[in-house]
Amino acid sequence: MPETPGGVTPPPTPPIPLGELLAHEELGLHRIAGPAEADLLWVHTSEMADPYPYLLGGELLLSAGVQLKDPDTYVARLVEAGAAALGFGVTPVFDTVPQALIEACDRHGLPLLEVPPETPFTAIARAVWRLMAEARHRELRRVTRAQQALATAAARPDPVPAVLHQLAAQLEGRAALLAADGEELHASGRRPAPDVAAALARLTRVVSAGARPAPTSATDTLRDTHLSAYALGGGQGLVLALATDRREAGDHTIAGVAVVLLSLLAAPHQGADAAGRSAALVRMLLGADPQDVAPLLGGAEEWTVVHARRSGDGPVDPLTTGALGAALGSALVDAGRGGDAVRVLVPGADRITPQPGWTLGASAPAPITALDLADDQASRALGRAVATRTPLAHHHNGGGGAGLAALIPPDRAEAHARALLAPLTEPLRETLSCWLSLHGSWDRTATALRIHRNTVRQRIARCAALLDADLDDMDVRTELWFALRVR
């Protein structure tokens, strides 16, 4: 996923076109300056004279101009911070949008929206979140349909051409399997122009394995054509090359599914253990019950998911991630992409030990049917390990084992927890749980959740308001911690 100008990874939702927000007539928003197009990633309200330090990039910034002194400098700083648009509320500070602000937005190329007095800023924020939720739902449905279609294609007698054909259809473009030297082995979709084909060949050389370290993917744009290249696993230097006329949310995920399938399908002969793991992965992609493929993965009754990040500036490459997997006793390693954590699926319930050069988070042992839950546990454990600067953090199951929790019947404890935490959304519960586990530290919680410390403060304040509780009271904290552990 691309980063904002501030280097912060945007939320896992497609950006919202400004035009979609303006189409909500009940909000009464009007664009009065700047370009007509912008992509919104979040909404932020600020009355600071210079909100630059608190912007992540991609915001629709809402303000009534309480401290607006120098419109040109103000707008220039917003553009420098990567803000997507400015919404200016008229009254009570200004009866109309200042002409100097309009001219500054036109000059710096920042869309300016007039917010009428009867439209609260919260209504605009709700509208953006609703549009984001709808866009995310559309994206997930599209990705799910594409994954099913690709998995079906992989089961055909001619799986590689079939997967490429289906990928080209899903992305409405050209999909080709290229050798390291750029030779086209299989392809589907409209043949590109010669200069586009040459650009794809250049991208192939960028990601092809060689003497130097190479990225696993690369992108480029030639005129209006979007180009992508993905290195396949297997050590043969094969590359999946894509050329599309447009780029939509979910394209990268769909291409990732194809990369996994093509890597397995094009892999050379493997030993019995590796072949069994590949067979298990293919069957799971094709929809097989995880319990049925468990024997191919080693037959363990329980599994531990480990999330890992390199300590310091150490390299993350197949050699280092493979060595980590070997040290933990597993060859099932997902090296991740970009800032993602390395994930290792470890058979059995043996205790995970710290590894030099890595920060680890380990889940509780789980059956293969519950690996999604274990993956979430490992992610939270890694966040806690990073925040507390410890080499290893384990997930601790709540509600089980000895202690005071064991004195309360589980059904009564869970019912109390559900009732107590009902006003909170899942993000608020996660933030509250992390904040309590780190003894109310704003900075450590922000580090663990990878969000701004001001966002932590806002969420905790929201929790306090929704629960009508004093979160500085130790009795309140204790009751909430118990509820969060048993829910």
Side-chain angles (χ1 to χ4, degrees):
M1 181 173 291
E3 290 192 342
T4 62
V8 178
T9 302
T13 57
I16 302 303
L18 179 60
E20 290 191 14
L21 179 63
L22 294 176
H24 281 244
E25 297 181 357
E26 70 278 6
L27 296 175
L29 303 178
H30 298 287
R31 182 181 61 85
I32 58 176
E37 296 183 358
D39 288 333
L40 312 179
L41 291 175
W42 11 51
V43 178
H44 182 63
T45 301
S46 175
E47 296 300 342
M48 300 183 67
D50 180 16
Y52 176 97
Y54 300 93
L55 299 182
L56 301 175
E59 292 92 351
L60 166 61
L61 179 67
L62 301 175
S63 175
V66 174
Q67 298 193 57
L68 182 64
K69 304 286 191 248
D70 182 351
D72 189 77
T73 300
Y74 180 78
V75 173
R77 290 286 283 171
L78 294 185
V79 172
E80 184 180 354
L86 172 63
F88 194 87
V90 295
T91 69
V93 183
F94 291 90
D95 293 332
T96 60
V97 180
Q99 183 62 33
L101 183 63
I102 296 175
E103 294 172 357
C105 286
D106 273 330
R107 186 161 48 250
H108 292 283
L110 181 70
L112 174 62
L113 312 183
E114 180 180 4
V115 182
E118 64 273 11
T119 300
F121 286 174
T122 53
I124 300 173
R126 282 198 300 268
V128 172
W129 304 143
R130 191 179 304 112
L131 288 170
M132 282 187 165
E134 293 170 355
R136 180 61 171 163
H137 181 65
R138 290 194 301 269
E139 178 190 356
L140 290 175
R141 289 184 59 186
R142 176 173 175 251
V143 169
T144 299
R145 287 195 300 266
Q147 180 173 346
Q148 292 171 344
L150 290 169
T152 300
R156 292 174 55 88
D158 51 346
V160 171
V163 168
L164 291 173
H165 174 77
Q166 191 56 242
L167 181 61
Q170 294 293 331
L171 301 183
E172 299 182 8
R174 175 81 167 179
L177 182 63
L178 306 181
D181 60 1
E183 178 187 0
E184 193 174 273
L185 305 176
H186 299 281
S188 183
R190 186 178 68 255
R191 183 173 293 278
D195 57 344
V196 173
L200 276 178
R202 288 194 295 271
L203 276 186
T204 298
R205 290 190 288 273
V206 170
V207 301
S208 294
R212 58 178 176 77
T216 57
S217 64
T219 61
D220 196 3
T221 302
L222 183 62
R223 296 189 299 277
D224 294 328
T225 303
H226 300 281
L227 310 176
S228 305
Y230 300 85
L232 302 189
Q236 301 182 86
L238 299 178
V239 175
L240 171 64
L242 303 173
T244 58
D245 292 335
R246 54 194 174 90
R247 185 171 290 166
E248 296 185 6
D251 283 0
H252 184 71
T253 303
I254 294 171
V257 173
V259 167
V260 172
L261 289 171
L262 291 170
S263 296
L264 295 173
L265 293 169
H269 177 72
Q270 303 165 311
D273 290 344
R277 288 192 296 269
S278 294
L281 292 173
V282 170
R283 293 185 190 183
M284 291 180 74
L285 283 170
L286 295 176
D289 189 323
Q291 196 66 46
D292 294 337
V293 302
L296 295 173
L297 294 173
E301 293 184 1
E302 289 187 315
W303 297 79
T304 300
V305 177
V306 177
H307 281 212
R309 288 193 189 282
R310 286 292 274 171
S311 304
D313 298 324
V316 178
D317 52 41
L319 290 178
T320 56
T321 56
L324 173 65
L328 295 174
S330 176
L332 300 172
V333 180
D334 173 17
R337 289 180 180 273
D340 293 342
V342 174
R343 300 188 295 179
V344 185
L345 186 58
V346 181
D350 294 338
R351 188 168 183 81
I352 304 300
T353 58
Q355 300 298 319
W358 293 91
T359 301
L360 308 179
S363 73
I368 196 170
T369 53
L371 292 183
D372 54 343
L373 176 62
D375 186 57
D376 186 55
Q377 293 174 354
S379 176
R380 292 200 298 268
L382 175 60
R384 190 167 67 253
V386 171
T388 56
R389 298 182 180 179
T390 56
L392 171 63
H394 288 272
H395 173 79
H396 300 292
N397 281 322
L404 293 176
L407 302 178
I408 304 175
D411 56 338
R412 293 181 60 186
E414 291 173 6
H416 174 73
R418 284 196 300 271
L420 179 62
L421 302 174
L424 304 184
T425 61
E426 188 57 34
L428 290 180
R429 293 182 187 182
E430 181 184 14
T431 303
L432 179 60
S433 177
C434 185
W435 183 72
L436 290 173
S437 74
L438 295 172
H439 311 292
S441 170
W442 307 110
D443 290 332
R444 288 186 173 185
T445 304
T447 299
L449 297 178
R450 304 176 74 183
I451 58 178
H452 197 281
R453 68 193 307 269
N454 287 348
T455 303
V456 177
R457 289 183 177 273
Q458 292 166 5
R459 289 183 182 179
I460 296 302
R462 183 63 176 158
C463 290
L466 291 173
L467 297 171
D468 191 21
D470 179 8
L471 297 185
D472 290 329
D473 188 319
M474 192 60 198
D475 290 337
V476 173
R477 289 193 183 193
T478 302
E479 183 177 14
L480 287 171
W481 179 243
F482 175 84
L484 288 163
R485 283 170 63 87
V486 303
R487 68 183 176 93

